[in-house]
Amino acid sequence: MSEAFLHKTVLLDEAVDGLNIRPDGVYVDCTFGRGGHSRLILEKLGEQGRLIALDRDLAGVEEAQKITDPRFQIVHSSFSRLRDVLKELGVAHVDGVLLDLGISSPQIDEAVRGFSFRFDGPLDMRMDTSHGQTAAEWLADVTEQQLGEVIKNYGEERYAKQIARAIVAARSGEPVVTTRQLSQIVAKAFKSREPHQDPATRTFQAIRIYLNQELEELSLVLPQCVDVLAPFGRLVVISFHSLEDRVVKRFMRDGAQPAVFPARLPLRAAELPAPHLRLVGKAARPSAAEVSANPRSRSATMRVAERTEAAL
């Protein structure tokens, strides 16, 4: 693997420590990526421990298949199928679930994947290249209104309308099929530029999130994580942008709140359902040393919650 494609796992020790590994426990790494978290989890497991990893990226699955440890199993699947995957494997409950929502450095740095405006390549952007619509195919038919909404809602881009208008105008001359084409179109639509950030950053992020249904996948998997966790099992989530972190923060916060019923109902406090989650510590960010060594980690936020004893 070339230096450009080396992947540095973000918040490696912090995330695995957050899982509070039991040597004989069963754990799920829902986002294997290049396996940094999984390999450290295996180091901490005893002979009776078990680790199940999921990844919808075929390249991630291929990397995972290099691990020959009998305690480890990889499944090609989106993590929104977590409950079904565990059921198919005969696993009722697990002691920890990890979600690292970032895309890996190889995904970003391999031009053929189309995730980055830094390299000229085909506009693909699919996490799972075995099926689904590519970014180029979507851009060929999407309406200007929908495109603008996607760029605004998923990229939080203030020039979303102008960018959408420019893309639709450009495709009338020739199809927009490469990352360089798209980044150049976006740059020309910008009225002003932010220092230290490429104009195409938010647009690329928005299209990737939309095509891969990343926020929908996250919203689907979080309740499943709670369902499959045994009492005192941990959920660890690392997010990389505000949209993801907002979903995670709200889910964990709500899960840690006691149930509230109308005041007129004849219920005593002792009869109210207990919260099914307990927040563990505060949101964690990479250290200055980690950000210096791996600038891509700078936007990461990690949150940890534990399933309560009263959850089952």
Side-chain angles (χ1 to χ4, degrees):
M1 182 178 294
S2 71
E3 186 68 26
F5 290 174
L6 287 176
H7 178 67
K8 296 180 180 179
T9 304
V10 175
L11 293 166
L12 174 59
D13 293 313
E14 294 88 343
V16 176
D17 287 346
L19 288 171
N20 196 27
I21 301 291
R22 289 175 36 201
D24 61 346
V26 180
Y27 296 87
V28 182
D29 182 351
C30 285
T31 46
F32 178 83
R34 291 305 179 265
H37 290 120
S38 281
R39 290 182 173 88
L40 185 55
I41 292 170
L42 287 170
E43 288 181 15
K44 294 180 177 292
L45 286 177
E47 292 183 2
Q48 303 303 314
R50 183 178 182 185
L51 174 60
I52 300 160
L54 281 61
D55 206 310
R56 58 174 166 171
D57 186 345
L58 290 170
V61 173
E62 182 179 356
E63 181 67 25
Q65 289 170 342
K66 298 176 183 178
I67 298 177
T68 58
D69 193 316
R71 302 169 300 169
F72 176 77
Q73 185 170 5
I74 180 67
V75 179
H76 178 220
S77 173
S78 61
F79 54 59
S80 63
R81 291 191 62 252
L82 173 62
R83 189 188 295 111
D84 290 338
V85 168
L86 292 180
K87 184 177 181 180
E88 291 164 5
L89 296 177
V91 177
H93 293 99
V94 301
D95 299 292
V97 179
L98 172 64
L99 290 161
D100 178 356
L101 304 175
I103 59 176
S104 68
S105 291
Q107 287 175 319
I108 297 172
D109 292 339
E110 292 179 10
V112 70
R113 300 302 300 270
F115 286 116
S116 177
F117 46 78
R118 293 173 50 230
F119 310 98
D120 191 24
L123 266 177
D124 193 315
M125 292 198 189
R126 292 172 298 168
M127 294 289 190
D128 185 349
T129 55
S130 66
H131 72 278
Q133 194 176 36
T134 68
E137 291 168 341
W138 181 70
L139 286 175
D141 297 319
V142 65
T143 65
E144 180 179 324
Q145 179 179 349
Q146 184 186 6
L147 179 56
E149 290 173 353
V150 166
I151 296 172
K152 178 181 178 181
N153 294 334
Y154 293 108
E156 299 179 299
E157 173 58 71
R158 59 177 173 168
Y159 297 127
K161 288 185 178 180
Q162 294 93 323
I163 293 170
R165 188 180 307 120
I167 292 172
V168 170
R171 78 183 183 193
S172 64
E174 61 176 330
V176 181
V177 296
T178 71
T179 55
R180 180 167 295 168
Q181 280 180 285
L182 180 58
S183 63
Q184 290 175 344
I185 293 167
V186 173
K188 291 178 181 178
F190 253 65
K191 293 181 179 179
S192 62
R193 298 193 178 193
E194 297 179 24
H196 312 300
Q197 179 165 290
D198 190 284
T201 299
R202 294 192 181 97
T203 298
F204 271 67
Q205 171 186 294
I207 295 173
R208 189 203 81 219
I209 291 173
Y210 175 80
L211 281 181
N212 294 288
Q213 298 185 303
E214 293 178 30
L215 296 181
E216 291 82 358
E217 288 274 317
L218 179 59
S219 295
L220 286 171
V221 75
L222 288 173
Q224 296 180 52
C225 292
V226 176
D227 290 345
V228 303
L229 279 174
F232 307 111
R234 295 281 185 88
L235 169 62
V236 177
V237 186
I238 303 172
S239 58
F240 286 82
H241 55 76
S242 60
L243 296 175
E244 290 175 337
D245 185 54
R246 205 172 298 151
V247 173
V248 175
K249 180 180 180 179
R250 185 180 299 119
F251 177 81
M252 290 186 174
R253 180 198 61 201
D254 291 350
Q257 295 293 323
V260 177
F261 289 94
R264 289 176 293 178
L265 287 180
L267 291 173
R268 295 174 299 176
E271 297 174 328
L272 295 175
H276 56 263
L277 288 177
R278 179 181 71 85
L279 302 181
V280 179
K282 298 180 179 180
R285 303 293 301 273
S287 66
E290 179 170 3
V291 172
S292 177
N294 179 19
R296 286 175 178 169
S297 71
R298 63 185 178 276
S299 60
T301 301
M302 185 185 79
R303 298 183 186 274
V304 183
E306 181 176 274
R307 189 165 183 181
T308 61
E309 188 176 10
L312 291 181

